[in-house]
Amino acid sequence: MKTAKKIFTRAHILWFLLLNFGLVLLAAGVHFFKSPNHFAMGGTSGISIIAATLLPHMDVGTFMFIINGLLILLGLVFLGRAVISATLYSSVALSFYVWVLERIAPMERPFTDDTMLELVYAVILPAAGSALIFNIGASSGGTDILAMILSKHTSLEIGKALLVSDFCIALFAGGLYGVRTGMYCVLGLLAKAFVVDGVIEGINVRKLVTIVSMKQEEINEFIIHRLHRGATVYEAHGAFSGHGEQVITTVLNRREAVALRNYIRKADPGAFITIVNSSETIGKGFRAI
């Protein structure tokens, strides 16, 4: 009973829901936009799209089951059960979601004739899904397993090796579907890296607020009791005024930063405030170490 309670905590349930939401976004991008347009932009989905074209009696979801299954077996052999178990669920679930979408909403052709618009969604949906998954410390499986194997047993630079393999898949797609499609695949492959980083940064961004004010006690009260955040107060020396000053620093989310700024505007119009973005904040109240 105690073990079950530890597993089914609010944090674990939220983690599981976010993982599956990310996997559904990935599956939707593959099924609705990548597959109908033959956007084979690397990874197991890219290989599966090509394989489904060469062997049309099987669909993309089925090929993803097969390829991910082979990668899982390789992972069990070269990495062991403890390591591979973390990506086992993601690999199976992603293949399953694609397979389900193919059954309930088959795509005979793309939604539109605007290939660039289709490419935008083929990049944004999987990139957003990947960003959510990476941000919670999970993996979508697939070629990530291959990366872990190479990292453990070779001295290859994994990022470069996977990028090269993805480019090879995109170039193969160009040979199979035409130069135009191949160029879109390469463009999508490059764009995905930037979008994933941008989404992760957007999710994690916090506001580092620095305040110089004569109403230090009132502002501290507001931060601690109204925003339920911590703050650091330290003594500083004003170079221009020559006076000692008390400086408050705190880290807040966007909504809290706006609330604090509005409060200070009324409480001390003469306060000096700087607000800068922090791409990642680690510690109590934010992300765990």
Side-chain angles (χ1 to χ4, degrees), residues 39 41 114-124 184 187-188:
F39 292 149
M41 295 184 289
D114 189 337
T115 309
M116 182 56 73
L117 180 62
E118 297 277 326
L119 179 66
V120 168
Y121 280 91
V123 170
I124 288 177
Y184 274 118
L187 180 62

Side-chain angles (χ1 to χ4, degrees), residues 123-180:
V123 170
I124 288 177
L125 282 176
S130 295
L132 278 174
I133 293 167
F134 294 153
N135 196 55
I136 61 173
S139 164
S140 58
T143 49
D144 290 348
I145 297 172
L146 189 60
M148 288 188 288
I149 295 172
L150 291 172
S151 178
K152 183 177 180 180
H153 295 280
T154 73
S155 58
L156 287 173
E157 293 186 44
I158 306 308
K160 290 181 180 179
L162 289 178
L163 185 61
V164 169
S165 69
D166 287 343
F167 264 107
C168 289
I169 294 169
L171 291 174
F172 191 90
L176 183 62
Y177 304 118
V179 175
R180 183 171 179 269

Side-chain angles (χ1 to χ4, degrees), residues 9 23 26 30 52 93 108 120 137 141 148-150 163 194 198 219 235:
T9 63
L23 292 171
L26 274 166
V30 171
E108 300 297 331
V120 168
M148 288 188 288
I149 295 172
L150 291 172
L163 185 61
F194 291 102
I219 293 171
E235 296 290 335

Side-chain angles (χ1 to χ4, degrees), residues 71-81 84 149 152-153:
L71 288 172
I72 289 168
L73 287 175
L74 284 174
L76 288 171
V77 172
F78 291 101
L79 299 173
R81 185 184 302 173
I84 204 64
I149 295 172
K152 183 177 180 180
H153 295 280

Side-chain angles (χ1 to χ4, degrees), residues 20 35 57 84-85 109 146 211 214 247 288:
N20 280 274
S35 185
H57 63 282
I84 204 64
S85 61
R109 60 185 302 278
L146 189 60
I211 308 151
M214 301 299 292
V247 181

